[in-house]
């Protein structure tokens, strides 16, 4: 099964992608984690992307698509995957369609801006492996340390209040229109993202059963 998860920053896309990956037995492709790895490794594409991410702006389409093309050629993605963080623009959606990427469903996590801001204020991320935590609902077992790799867990620059406000402005202007793009193609599955993690996962699995 090939899925896309859409929604504003803080909607829980990464969390749901990880849970669905475990339940469905297909890998997750998170462009955010891939780009952060490129930044940590000091790769030119990563350093270029960092300028945009730190400002809470979208990474240019050509950088995103070049990364996705490279990763999707890996053998482990041949039987399906979950795209988390792409597409973020109409151009990216069209690029994916032109790549003949057969998507079974596009899961849209619907959540208000106020809930987004509340969630992100408590979000912490491991910059080494990309694992995500919430201080309010699922904090790391050891304070400040990642459960997966033991590295430091931090509040990313693009998760700070001013950056979040900018990210929401960009989301509504450039990403939200993709919802209608996929709705017109009969691919959109709207999910109430205001619920807790477990209830959201149940709603997604129930929706996928009806495909």
């Amino acid at each position: 099964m090939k899925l896309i998860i859409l929604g504003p920053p803080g909607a829980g896309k990464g969390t749901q992608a990880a849970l669905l990956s475990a339940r469905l037995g297909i890998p997750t492709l998170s462009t955010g984690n891939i780009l952060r790895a490129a930044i940590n490794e000091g790769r030119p594409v990563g350093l270029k992307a960092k300028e945009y991410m730190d400002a809470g702006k979208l990474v240019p389409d050509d950088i995103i698509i070049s990364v996705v093309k490279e990763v999707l050629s890996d053998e482990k993605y041949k039987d399906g995957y979950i795209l988390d963080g792409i597409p973020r623009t109409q151009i990216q959606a069209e690029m994916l369609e032109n790549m003949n990427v057969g998507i079974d469903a596009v899961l849209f996590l619907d959540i208000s801006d106020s809930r987004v801001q509340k969630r992100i204020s408590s979000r912490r991320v491991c910059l080494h492996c990309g694992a995500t935590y919430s201080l309010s609902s699922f904090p790391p077992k050891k304070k400040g340390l990642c459960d997966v790799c033991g590295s430091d867990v931090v509040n990313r620059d693009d998760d700070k209040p001013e950056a979040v406000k900018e990210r929401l402005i960009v989301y509504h202007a450039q990403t939200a229109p993709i919802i209608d793009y996929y709705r017109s193609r009969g691919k959109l599955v709207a999910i109430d993202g205001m619920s807790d993690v477990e209830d959201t996962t149940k709603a997604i699995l129930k929706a996928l059963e009806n495909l």
Side-chain angles (χ1 to χ4, degrees):
M1 181 172 285
K2 298 177 181 179
L3 304 172
I4 289 174
I5 298 185
L6 289 181
K13 298 185 297 295
T15 298
Q16 292 302 326
L19 292 170
L20 291 173
S21 176
R23 292 290 295 270
L24 301 175
I26 54 178
T28 295
L29 172 56
S30 169
T31 52
N33 289 344
I34 290 172
L35 288 172
R36 279 188 283 275
I39 292 170
N40 292 336
E41 293 166 5
R43 292 164 52 192
V45 68
L47 298 178
K48 188 174 181 180
K50 187 176 187 299
E51 298 175 10
Y52 294 88
M53 295 171 68
D54 286 350
K57 297 180 179 178
L58 292 175
V59 177
D61 297 323
D62 57 339
I63 296 177
I64 294 292
I65 295 302
S66 65
V67 172
V68 172
K69 283 183 177 179
E70 178 182 344
V71 173
L72 286 182
S73 65
D74 193 295
E75 186 73 8
K76 73 177 181 178
Y77 294 106
K78 69 174 185 177
D79 294 325
Y81 42 79
I82 302 169
L83 294 181
D84 166 23
I86 185 171
R88 287 184 176 175
T89 67
Q90 181 85 17
I91 292 174
Q92 288 182 10
E94 293 171 354
M95 285 181 174
L96 282 178
E97 191 165 347
N98 291 335
M99 287 169 57
N100 295 319
V101 177
I103 299 298
D104 295 302
V106 177
L107 306 172
F108 168 49
L109 302 182
D110 194 3
I111 180 174
S112 68
D113 286 4
S114 60
R115 183 65 65 88
V116 163
Q117 291 167 330
K118 182 177 180 181
R119 283 187 180 178
I120 292 183
S121 67
S122 67
R123 183 161 69 183
R124 298 295 181 271
V125 177
C126 174
L127 292 182
H128 179 70
C129 72
T132 303
Y133 304 90
S134 169
L135 298 182
S136 61
S137 57
F138 45 95
K141 295 176 183 177
K142 293 185 178 179
K143 185 177 180 180
L145 297 177
C146 178
D147 296 346
V148 178
C149 68
S151 298
D152 290 339
V153 173
V154 301
N155 181 215
R156 294 187 332 223
D157 287 341
D158 56 336
D159 279 349
K160 293 179 180 177
E162 289 307 312
V164 172
K165 290 179 182 178
E166 176 64 24
R167 289 168 69 191
L168 284 169
I169 291 172
V170 172
Y171 166 78
H172 287 296
Q174 299 186 32
T175 304
I178 302 174
I179 296 167
D180 287 335
Y181 177 86
Y182 283 115
R183 181 180 287 117
S184 69
R185 283 155 175 74
K187 298 291 185 180
L188 194 75
V189 178
I191 304 293
D192 180 8
M194 302 286 280
S195 304
D196 60 28
V197 172
E198 184 177 353
D199 286 343
T200 300
T201 304
K202 289 179 179 178
I204 292 173
L205 292 173
K206 183 176 181 180
L208 293 178
E209 289 177 358
N210 297 323
L211 292 180

